[in-house]
């Protein structure tokens, strides 16, 4: 019975042909195979909602006030199966919201709270997220009650925000509108550490330089969103820890003041749990009998003080269920020394603290404990920059409250994109620079007249197409940033990015800007419309009469509305669609192309059709001819696919790294040159299957229609105003 799977724990062999676990992925034997599945995750076949379900419409029908009241009531509705510390769940729900949002990283915009991904692996089983499965189960009755109108993603973040509100903080606001996913995000590289808390030297090139850690990860250790709370390499040293805190939070898009405020405000409430007992397996590895919980606590006796979570033990403030200013009074006003928790973890405790400042036990208020600080807390005291900020907060509690509430709002909304995506009565009216605000664009202009002016401008089709593409390609579906709306292509830093060919870009903008001014259209619209004009010229040259859709209404952002520093992370270092990369990288060009396609929200066929079309249009960076498999460049034809799949040509690597020659098999003459980002569409079996569709004699018009649809999708990727 070859191929039978035998239960390792005993049981009879059974014919079992389904590949039903991830222990043996179907493609594990493929050498460096492209993971094209990242283009097709979260599709209709995994989504249980009806095909006509519209989440935004459902959210708008929520009874927001009733929901908030229910979440408020839950805060003090302690359950025997998982009791609340001091009778208040606020600290637990804040931790749930924080750890969900805190996975965001500015480098690629991935992570964050926007999709409810903490429900799934690996996040649900990160050691830093121990017991957060309980927090979500406590929220289940509310999710059950409000149903489809309330996403887990919204509820998780709302619970933390309401927690602060219930404990006395005036929060900055809240926006609904996050939509759940139904399985793990397979596109995200969370890091490849295999050993929890392995030596720091294994993940940085220089221990003294926190920024040498692998980018774009924000986590310094697998499963730990922040730094080791016991110190770098588990050794208390607040100055060293401060370096990693600064690096970690900067990768989360937070400056020093926001970092200090979040640390202070986050640890003003709640506690750590650290009894000396074993903790059960993580949710993904736990027994079926654990009901998906994981992290079982063998020593739990029904009281909050017998819960084990982090290993550290204690609260940071005297009144851990109240928003007050005692954190800084304790931290800066007392001497602290390294001790160990009941579970043996390094932590800091005050020396000779008066009894009236000690913390009541979470279950028995007659018992008092020292407050505690982690190494990251001590960094706020020892690091001179953080110290100065904290002293300012100490002198002005109102300033601390405002700074924290704004930082909390940013932390929990950073990946939601423009404010038009926010729903509900508590959305702040203020436009915040990190939301990348774009003013509404004019729609009262004659599109046909503008197209005529563009056509008569003297610009070539490829100049117009490339400028429109470069404007739109910055879009990242991960955090809904970038894109053509706003015309930030004309502003620093984008206008100077090497990948945007500044000289060509400057020429095109000098011609298009007066057209925009004369017509009343935004420059953002005119840039995209110019791409439309150039594309329609190329379609006509191919003998087709297919119109490219255009949606007007983009606005032009100002430099004052643009956080230039944060846009640095959106700079393309490679663009396989234009067959370019800034320099040689360890990652192959086709992998970088795949990553960009995923961020643009493209499917496999859409990526294929766009690359093939852009090659024959001549859109390569600097006018290079790599991959331009046609004798009629500038015509939107299927020639790329026809010649790529033609066995009349053989492929040969050349000495220049990454380049190939396509030679006539009979004569040996070089017909074309190419990069791996070209030839992968003929060598990868899946991509070749798509390429063959467009190489067929009967699909010339289908190719143009599909190209136009994919092009339009990219141009409108950031047009949330069209579906608000």
């Amino acid at each position: 019975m070859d191929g039978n799977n035998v239960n390792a724990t005993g049981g009879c062999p059974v014919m079992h042909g389904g590949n039903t676990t991830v222990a043996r992925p179907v493609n594990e034997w493929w050498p460096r195979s492209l993971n094209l599945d990242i283009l097709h995750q979260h599709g209709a076949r995994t989504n249980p909602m009806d095909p006509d379900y519209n989440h935004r419409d459902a959210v708008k029908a929520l009874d927001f006030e009733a929901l908030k009241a229910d979440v408020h009531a839950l805060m003090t509705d302690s359950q025997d199966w998982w009791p609340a510390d001091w009778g208040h769940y606020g600290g637990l729900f804040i931790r749930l919201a924080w750890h969900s949002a805190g996975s965001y990283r500015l480098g690629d915009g991935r992570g964050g709270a926007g999709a409810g991904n903490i429900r799934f692996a690996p996040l649900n089983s990160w050691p830093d997220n121990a017991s957060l499965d309980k927090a979500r189960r406590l929220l289940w009755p509310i999710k059950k009650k409000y149903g489809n109108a309330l996403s887990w993603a919204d509820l998780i973040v709302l619970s933390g925000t309401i927690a602060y509100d219930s404990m006395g903080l005036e929060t900055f606001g809240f926006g609904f509108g996050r939509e759940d996913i139904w399985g793990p995000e397979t596109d995200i590289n969370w890091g490849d550490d295999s050993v929890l808390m392995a030596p720091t030297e294994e993940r940085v090139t220089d221990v003294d330089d926190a920024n040498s850690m692998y980018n774009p990860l924000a986590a310094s250790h697998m499963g730990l969103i922040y730094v080791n709370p016991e110190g770098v390499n588990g050794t208390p040293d607040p100055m060293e820890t401060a370096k990693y805190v600064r690096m970690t939070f900067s990768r989360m898009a937070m400056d020093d003041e926001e970092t200090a405020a979040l640390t202070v405000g986050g640890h003003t409430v709640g506690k750590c749990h650290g009894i000396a007992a074993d903790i059960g397996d993580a949710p993904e590895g736990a027994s079926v009998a654990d009901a998906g919980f994981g992290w079982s606590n063998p020593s739990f006796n029904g009281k909050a003080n017998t819960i084990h979570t982090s290993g550290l033990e204690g609260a940071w403030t005297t009144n851990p269920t109240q928003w007050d200013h005692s954190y800084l009074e304790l931290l800066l006003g007392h001497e602290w020394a390294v001790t160990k928790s009941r579970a043996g973890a390094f932590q800091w405790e005050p020396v000779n603290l008066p009894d009236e400042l000690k913390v009541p036990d979470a279950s028995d208020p007659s018992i008092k404990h020292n407050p505690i600080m982690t190494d990251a807390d001590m960094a706020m005291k020892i690091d001179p920059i953080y110290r100065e900020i904290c002293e300012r907060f100490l002198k002005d509690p109102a300033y601390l409250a405002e700074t924290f509430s704004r930082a909390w709002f940013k932390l929990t909304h950073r990946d939601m994109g423009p404010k038009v995506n926010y729903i509900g009565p508590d959305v702040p009216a203020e436009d915040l620079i990190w939301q990348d605000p774009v003013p509404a664009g004019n729609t009262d202009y004659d599109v046909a007249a503008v197209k005529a002016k563009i056509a008569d401008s003297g610009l070539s089709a490829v100049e117009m197409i490339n400028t429109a593409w470069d404007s739109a390609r910055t879009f990242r579906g991960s955090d809904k940033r970038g894109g053509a709306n706003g015309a930030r292509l004309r502003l620093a830093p984008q206008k100077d990015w090497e990948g945007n060919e500044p000289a060509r870009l400057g020429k095109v903008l000098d011609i298009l800007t007066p057209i925009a001014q004369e017509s009343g259209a935004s420059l953002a619209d005119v840039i995209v419309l110019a791409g439309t004009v150039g594309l329609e010229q190329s379609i006509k040259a191919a003998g087709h009469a297919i119109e490219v859709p255009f949606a007007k209404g983009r606005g032009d952002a100002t430099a004052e509305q643009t956080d230039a520093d944060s846009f640095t992370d959106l700079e393309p270092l490679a663009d396989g669609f234009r067959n370019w990369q800034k320099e040689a990288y360890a990652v192959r060009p086709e992998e970088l192309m795949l990553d960009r396609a995923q961020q643009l929200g493209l499917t496999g066929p859409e990526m294929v059709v766009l690359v093939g079309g852009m090659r024959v249009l001549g859109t390569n960076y600097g006018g290079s001819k790599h991959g331009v498999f046609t004798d009629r460049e500038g015509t939107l034809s299927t020639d790329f696919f026809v010649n790529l799949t033609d066995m009349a040509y053989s492929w040969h690597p050349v000495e220049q790294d990454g380049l190939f020659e396509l030679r006539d098999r009979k004569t040996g003459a070089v017909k074309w040159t190419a990069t791996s980002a070209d030839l992968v569409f003929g060598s990868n079996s899946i991509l070749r299957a798509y390429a063959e569709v467009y190489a067929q004699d009967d699909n010339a018009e289908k190719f143009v229609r599909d190209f136009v649809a994919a092009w339009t999708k990219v141009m409108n990727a950031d047009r949330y105003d069209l579906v608000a």
Side-chain angles (χ1 to χ4, degrees):
M1 296 178 65
D2 290 346
N4 285 355
N5 292 332
V6 180
N7 189 333
T9 61
C12 296
V14 61
M15 294 297 295
H16 180 54
N19 199 25
T20 51
T21 76
V22 296
R24 187 179 294 275
V26 68
N27 61 347
E28 70 172 350
W29 57 273
W30 291 347
R32 297 193 71 182
S33 177
L34 288 176
N35 181 20
L36 296 171
D37 287 347
I38 68 173
L39 303 181
H40 307 120
Q41 59 186 330
H42 317 312
R45 297 181 70 175
T46 64
N47 193 328
M49 308 307 290
D50 293 338
D52 61 349
Y53 172 76
N54 184 292
H55 184 64
R56 291 189 62 82
D57 290 344
V59 174
K60 292 172 184 176
L62 264 176
D63 187 337
F64 297 104
E65 297 307 317
L67 169 60
K68 289 190 291 183
D70 285 346
V71 178
H72 266 282
L74 178 61
M75 293 295 150
T76 53
D77 185 15
S78 185
Q79 302 295 307
D80 291 342
W81 62 268
W82 198 255
D85 298 326
W86 308 282
H88 200 297
Y89 285 120
L92 179 62
F93 289 136
I94 287 166
R95 180 167 163 256
L96 174 66
W98 188 309
H99 285 215
S100 182
S103 61
Y104 174 79
R105 62 274 188 113
L106 184 62
D108 63 359
R110 292 183 168 100
N117 61 2
I118 202 170
R119 296 179 294 152
F120 306 116
L123 284 80
N124 71 341
S125 295
W126 283 355
D128 202 31
N129 291 337
S131 298
L132 292 182
D133 50 312
K134 280 80 171 181
R136 197 171 70 81
R137 297 299 181 89
L138 289 166
L139 291 169
W140 167 241
I142 294 176
K143 174 67 174 83
K144 180 175 180 291
K145 176 180 178 179
Y146 291 93
N148 297 339
L150 177 63
S151 67
W152 271 115
D154 276 345
L155 180 57
I156 286 168
V157 176
L158 179 67
S159 72
T161 302
I162 295 293
Y164 273 115
D165 185 71
S166 73
M167 292 187 286
L169 174 70
E170 184 178 350
T171 52
F172 185 70
F174 186 84
F176 291 86
R178 303 165 186 82
E179 187 168 3
D180 288 334
I181 55 176
W182 299 98
E185 295 156 307
T186 57
D187 60 294
I188 303 182
N189 174 11
W190 293 111
D192 54 6
D193 292 336
S194 58
V195 179
L196 178 64
M197 292 306 201
T200 304
E201 291 87 345
E202 295 184 11
R203 58 186 54 80
V204 297
T205 53
D206 181 358
V207 176
D208 294 326
D209 179 10
N211 289 308
S212 68
M213 193 184 79
Y214 179 59
N215 221 350
L217 304 182
S220 62
H221 300 79
M222 182 192 69
L224 292 180
I225 295 172
Y226 308 108
V227 299
N228 187 338
E230 297 182 72
V232 179
N233 275 339
T235 303
D237 187 340
M239 278 301 294
E240 284 299 302
T241 293
K243 298 176 184 177
Y244 283 82
V245 170
R246 180 165 287 111
M247 176 274 297
T248 298
F249 278 78
S250 68
R251 293 188 180 185
M252 294 165 56
M254 299 295 171
D255 62 23
D256 281 339
E257 187 173 66
E258 292 167 327
T259 299
L262 286 169
T263 302
V264 173
H267 290 172
T268 293
V269 297
K271 74 182 293 287
C272 301
H273 301 81
I275 65 171
D278 293 331
I279 188 170
D281 291 331
E284 290 297 315
S287 160
V288 171
D290 286 335
F293 271 131
W295 311 118
S296 62
N297 279 206
S299 299
F300 174 60
N301 65 3
K303 296 182 178 181
N305 60 11
T306 59
I307 290 171
H308 181 280
T309 295
S310 69
L312 280 73
E313 172 66 28
W316 295 267
T317 60
T318 308
N319 301 298
T321 63
Q322 297 176 24
W323 175 268
D324 58 27
H325 310 101
S326 60
Y327 174 96
L328 288 173
E329 293 170 354
L330 289 167
L331 178 66
L332 302 181
H334 297 272
E335 182 182 352
W336 295 77
V338 175
T339 62
K340 282 196 174 184
S341 72
R342 294 184 289 170
F346 284 118
Q347 60 189 46
W348 296 74
E349 294 188 21
V351 177
N352 299 321
L353 189 73
D355 284 348
E356 64 269 18
L357 295 179
K358 291 185 177 182
V359 187
D361 184 81
S363 301
D364 185 351
S366 67
I367 303 172
K368 295 292 187 72
H369 303 282
N370 270 333
I372 64 105
M373 296 287 167
T374 71
D375 219 53
D377 295 305
M378 296 304 298
M380 299 297 112
K381 180 174 183 174
I382 303 302
D383 180 89
I385 297 173
Y386 290 140
R387 174 74 181 239
E388 182 181 351
I389 295 169
C390 287
E391 287 178 345
R392 191 159 65 246
F393 287 156
L394 181 62
K395 293 175 183 177
D396 192 345
Y399 181 63
L400 166 63
E402 180 183 8
T403 305
F404 172 81
S405 61
R406 285 173 172 269
W408 174 262
F409 183 82
K410 178 180 177 180
L411 173 74
T412 52
H413 293 74
R414 188 67 177 84
D415 61 343
M416 287 186 68
K419 197 166 70 173
V420 69
N421 291 337
Y422 296 23
I423 300 171
D426 300 317
V427 177
E430 182 181 347
D431 288 328
L432 304 166
I433 193 169
W434 56 263
Q435 295 173 321
D436 302 334
V438 176
N442 180 34
T443 59
D444 187 20
Y445 64 90
D446 187 334
V447 172
V450 178
K451 288 175 71 174
K453 289 182 178 180
I454 294 171
D456 292 338
S457 68
L459 291 170
S460 69
V462 73
E463 287 174 324
M464 294 186 285
I465 292 169
N466 281 348
T467 303
W469 177 263
D470 290 352
S471 184
R473 71 176 172 190
T474 54
F475 177 75
R476 312 192 299 197
S478 55
D479 57 358
K480 304 176 178 63
R481 299 187 72 205
N485 199 6
R488 288 188 167 92
L489 189 73
R490 77 196 195 283
L491 303 174
Q494 295 192 37
K495 67 181 181 63
D496 301 314
W497 287 345
E498 182 180 334
N500 288 340
E501 298 176 290
R504 183 262 306 163
L505 174 61
K507 171 192 172 183
V508 174
L509 293 181
D510 285 346
I511 293 172
L512 295 183
T513 299
I515 294 175
Q517 293 169 341
E518 294 165 7
S519 65
S522 67
L523 181 59
D525 265 357
V526 172
I527 289 171
V528 174
L529 197 54
T532 300
V533 171
L535 188 52
E536 288 179 345
Q537 291 173 355
S538 301
I539 293 171
K540 185 178 180 180
H544 302 284
I546 296 174
E547 187 175 348
V548 179
F550 174 77
K552 54 187 177 180
R554 297 171 183 81
D556 294 334
T558 65
E560 290 72 29
Q561 294 170 313
T562 301
D563 182 8
D565 288 342
S566 75
F567 270 91
T568 299
D569 288 292
L570 273 68
E571 178 182 0
L573 303 180
D575 183 1
F577 294 89
R578 295 192 58 211
N579 222 352
W580 168 81
Q581 58 184 49
K582 194 171 183 177
E583 56 186 85
Y585 301 107
V587 180
R588 296 173 296 170
E590 55 268 36
E591 294 177 67
L592 296 171
M593 176 172 59
L594 178 61
D595 179 71
R596 182 159 298 277
Q598 193 277 329
Q599 288 280 32
L600 289 171
L602 299 173
T603 65
E606 288 169 340
M607 178 180 72
V608 171
V609 77
L610 277 172
V611 171
M614 292 181 71
R615 290 294 188 274
V616 298
L617 290 173
T619 63
N620 279 357
Y621 180 92
S624 96
K625 302 305 177 185
H626 304 314
V628 185
F629 305 151
T630 183
D631 297 322
R632 43 179 181 160
E633 184 178 330
T635 299
L636 190 58
S637 71
T638 60
D639 288 357
F640 174 86
F641 303 108
V642 170
N643 292 308
L644 178 74
T645 57
D646 192 337
M647 294 306 297
Y649 306 104
S650 57
W651 304 353
H652 302 268
V654 297
E655 291 184 5
Q656 188 176 348
D657 187 42
L659 291 183
F660 298 80
E661 291 176 345
L662 275 67
R663 301 174 187 170
D664 186 293
R665 289 186 185 272
K666 293 180 179 179
T667 67
V670 176
K671 180 65 175 178
W672 293 291
T673 58
T675 69
S676 60
D678 302 310
L679 299 185
V680 71
F681 294 97
S683 63
N684 179 280
S685 59
I686 298 171
L687 295 178
R688 186 179 180 94
Y690 294 138
E692 289 171 346
V693 170
Y694 295 115
Q696 292 174 186
D697 295 345
D698 60 347
N699 278 337
E701 184 172 327
K702 170 181 167 58
F703 162 71
V704 175
R705 286 190 277 103
D706 290 357
F707 182 93
V708 168
W711 172 271
T712 305
K713 182 177 182 177
V714 173
M715 293 300 118
N716 290 341
D718 62 343
R719 294 299 305 279
Y720 296 104
D721 57 304
L722 299 177
V723 295

